[in-house]
Amino acid sequence: FTGSYWNQHMAEWRSVSANQSLDSSSDEADELGQKTPSEEHFYDVHIFHCTNERPATHKRGSCVAKGSKELCDYMCRRSMSLGLKKIRVNHAGCLNRCELGPTMVIYPEGVWYTYKCEADIDEILKTHVMNGKRVERLLLRPDQGPRH
């Protein structure tokens, strides 16, 4: 899915009932003859954190040296404590944007972020995952960083 499709799809379901979860809107989805995002995908949101580790002397650095493993684990625990369903937070190999790290990519939109601390993770969860908006200050644009 493209980001605009996903955002539109999620916005439609959010507007069905601001007080219901996506899973609980299935009665209204049946009435409309449509599926909610939760019925279409095993996970509605899948987040990959680069947790690649290189030697400390490597010129590109590594996300692990910048705390990515701990922050990925924090995001997983935090998403559970917020009661988020149909989300998967994964450690990943190199995402090849080492100089900008630590980095993560959120699917299905394919939105990239850099982050430095737990507060950044909280902001991404609340703004992007829960409310479908971008955290502009942490976004990584496609033209940022070298392609290897």
Side-chain angles (χ1 to χ4, degrees), residues 28-45:
E28 292 171 28
D30 290 342
E31 291 172 17
L32 298 171
Q34 299 175 338
K35 292 182 178 181
T36 64
S38 292
E39 294 170 326
E40 291 180 0
H41 308 286
F42 192 75
Y43 295 116
D44 290 336
V45 178

Side-chain angles (χ1 to χ4, degrees), residues 84-104:
L84 299 177
K85 306 285 184 210
K86 307 286 286 192
I87 181 173
R88 179 71 181 170
V89 178
N90 278 106
H91 291 260
C94 185
L95 296 177
N96 218 10
R97 298 185 89 181
C98 314
E99 296 84 355
L100 305 171
T103 61
M104 73 171 76

